[in-house]
């Protein structure tokens, strides 16, 4: 119940939950002699409720060093978390690569996933992982009915 109240309060004011901050506040409210709840279990409970309430979760336990227990630290307003913005239109670039199939890609040979990823990085400068790009390319290829080979 304490965790639910904490998550609800964070949802109304901030839009995210810090596991470090949650642990400090919740541990203050729990009985000091109650060792039944481990740090991992507490983090899992906070994260599950936060996700259920559509809040971002910051797993930052231990990132700030030892807790000094000051009330000002527990109540300070933290800026809302924002997803990193990527300026190039990566999805649009995938559409362009798969849709046009111009040089160096040949219309007679199947496209290679590694070639498409290389072209995509060259055109957009994206820093996304290969696995992320492969997923995006595979989805776009399926929609456009383009067959890709796995070999480079």
């Amino acid at each position: 119940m304490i965790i639910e109240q904490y998550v609800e309060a964070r949802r109304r004011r901030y839009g995210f939950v810090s596991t470090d901050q949650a642990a400090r506040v919740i541990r203050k409210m729990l009985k000091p002699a109650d060792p039944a709840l481990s740090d991992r279990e507490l983090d899992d409970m906070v994260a599950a409720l936060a996700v259920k309430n559509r809040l971002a979760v910051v797993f930052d336990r231990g990132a700030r060093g030892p807790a000094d227990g000051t009330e000002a630290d527990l109540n300070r307003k933290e800026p809302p978390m924002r997803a990193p913005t990527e300026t190039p239109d990566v999805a649009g670039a995938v559409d362009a690569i798969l849709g046009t199939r111009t040089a160096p890609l040949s219309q007679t040979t199947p496209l290679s996933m590694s070639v498409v990823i290389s072209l995509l990085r060259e055109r957009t400068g994206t820093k996304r992982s290969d696995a992320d790009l492969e997923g995006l390319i595979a989805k776009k290829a399926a929609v456009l009915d383009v067959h890709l080979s796995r070999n480079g």
Side-chain angles (χ1 to χ4, degrees):
M1 194 156 118
I2 293 170
I3 296 170
E4 288 174 1
Q5 289 173 348
Y6 178 80
V7 169
E8 179 64 23
R10 294 296 296 186
R11 184 181 67 80
R12 287 187 199 150
R13 296 187 71 200
Y14 299 104
F16 74 98
V17 172
S18 155
T19 55
D20 179 57
Q21 194 172 29
R24 289 198 241 175
V25 171
I26 292 167
R27 292 272 185 219
K28 276 184 143 182
M29 293 179 189
L30 292 175
K31 296 177 187 173
D34 186 9
L37 193 60
S38 72
D39 289 345
R40 169 85 179 189
E41 290 170 327
L42 180 58
D43 288 353
D44 289 345
M45 291 172 72
V46 168
L49 279 168
V51 169
K52 183 178 175 183
N53 284 283
R54 297 181 180 194
L55 292 172
V57 180
V58 179
F59 291 94
D60 59 347
R61 181 185 296 280
R64 293 186 192 167
D68 59 2
T70 60
E71 198 63 34
D73 184 37
L74 296 175
N75 292 324
R76 80 173 194 278
K77 183 170 182 165
E78 297 179 32
M81 291 182 58
R82 302 202 189 285
T85 57
E86 188 172 88
T87 53
D89 180 12
V90 176
V94 172
D95 283 336
I97 292 168
L98 296 178
T100 59
R101 300 180 75 175
T102 58
L105 304 175
S106 168
Q107 298 228 3
T108 59
T109 60
L111 297 175
S112 163
M113 183 66 77
S114 61
V115 169
V116 175
I117 289 174
S118 294
L119 280 172
L120 192 58
R121 289 194 189 286
E122 182 180 303
R123 290 184 184 182
T124 64
T126 184
K127 302 288 187 208
R128 290 185 183 184
S129 69
D130 283 352
D132 184 33
L133 292 175
E134 277 187 31
L136 175 64
I137 293 166
K139 288 177 186 175
K140 292 285 191 175
V143 168
L144 297 172
D145 197 27
V146 175
H147 300 284
L148 298 173
S149 70
R150 285 281 184 202
N151 305 8

